[in-house]
Amino acid sequence: MVRFYNGQNEPAADEIVNLVFVDPGYGYLSLKCKGEHEGLLSGFLDESWFVSEDMVDAAIAFIESLSPHSHGIYLPYHVARFKRTDYVEYNGEY
C-alpha cells in the first residue's frame, strides 16, 4: 500500500502530543500480488492533485516499480479519482 501525501503537512514525532491534525493525503494505491503471474492494483486518488490520466498512470507506474514481483505479470487495476467535499474529524478530546 502506498499513501500519497505532502511531507510538509506531516507532524514530526516530537510534535505528536495531545492534539494532532491528521492530513489524509492525496490518496492510496494498493498492490496485491497473487502467485507469480497475477496481481491486482486498486485505490483512489484526489482529483485536485491527480488532475490528468497521465498523472494517475505515473502513480500506477511508481507503485509497480516498488515491487519486483509486479514486473511482467497480469495486473488489472481500478483506480478511482475522487473530489473531496467534506471530512469528519475526531481527536478524542471532544
Side-chain angles (χ1 to χ4, degrees):
M1 169 115 19
V2 172
R3 174 178 171 242
F4 295 92
Y5 64 96
N6 180 341
Q8 294 176 346
N9 294 340
E10 291 293 302
D14 60 342
E15 294 175 325
I16 300 173
V17 285
N18 296 332
L19 177 62
V20 175
F21 291 101
V22 180
D23 186 332
Y26 310 134
Y28 295 84
L29 291 180
S30 173
L31 174 63
K32 297 176 186 175
C33 292
K34 181 182 174 185
E36 294 182 27
H37 305 290
E38 296 178 304
L40 299 169
L41 193 145
S42 64
F44 59 93
L45 299 171
D46 188 332
E47 71 177 15
S48 66
W49 289 95
F50 292 87
V51 297
S52 69
E53 205 168 308
D54 288 340
M55 292 181 76
V56 173
D57 289 342
I60 291 168
F62 173 72
I63 194 170
E64 287 177 339
S65 74
L66 296 176
S67 173
H69 301 292
S70 68
H71 298 275
I73 66 171
Y74 175 64
L75 189 64
Y77 60 84
H78 179 97
V79 177
R81 288 192 309 140
F82 71 93
K83 181 176 183 174
R84 189 182 323 190
T85 58
D86 198 4
Y87 64 91
V88 176
E89 182 176 291
Y90 173 72
N91 68 7
E93 296 286 324
Y94 52 89

